[in-house]
Amino acid sequence: SSSELFSNWAAASLEAGQVEEAAGLYRQALQTNPGNDEARTGLTRLQIEFDEGRHAFDHYRDHAQSAASEQPY
């Protein structure tokens, strides 16, 4: 899937030291498939290691809120 492609590309970019590109690619993977756990974990690790943890868990919160709003009451 395209989400997996973006996620794999992001991981390779991060290995090559292209942190900003990797972050963007992980975000693209999550936009394509919000349930992509590999991309969510990769983006979290990237933000912890290279962005001093700022916003490291925002995408988890956003995904949880989105999933909760889709649940029938």
Side-chain angles (χ1 to χ4, degrees):
S1 77
S2 60
S3 180
E4 290 174 0
L5 172 69
F6 287 129
S7 188
N8 291 338
W9 186 2
S13 295
L14 188 56
E15 286 293 319
Q18 299 170 349
V19 177
E20 292 301 318
E21 179 178 11
L25 290 164
Y26 279 133
R27 287 186 184 98
Q28 281 186 275
L30 289 170
Q31 285 180 333
T32 304
N33 176 7
N36 184 329
D37 291 331
E38 183 179 329
R40 189 175 332 287
T41 301
L43 183 57
T44 300
R45 292 182 69 207
L46 180 151
Q47 290 174 321
I48 289 170
E49 287 185 43
F50 298 99
D51 195 24
E52 299 174 2
R54 291 185 295 258
H55 312 289
F57 300 99
D58 290 355
H59 46 278
Y60 277 101
R61 183 196 65 238
D62 295 344
H63 182 65
Q65 288 174 344
S66 176
S69 70
E70 294 174 3
Q71 295 295 320
Y73 294 98

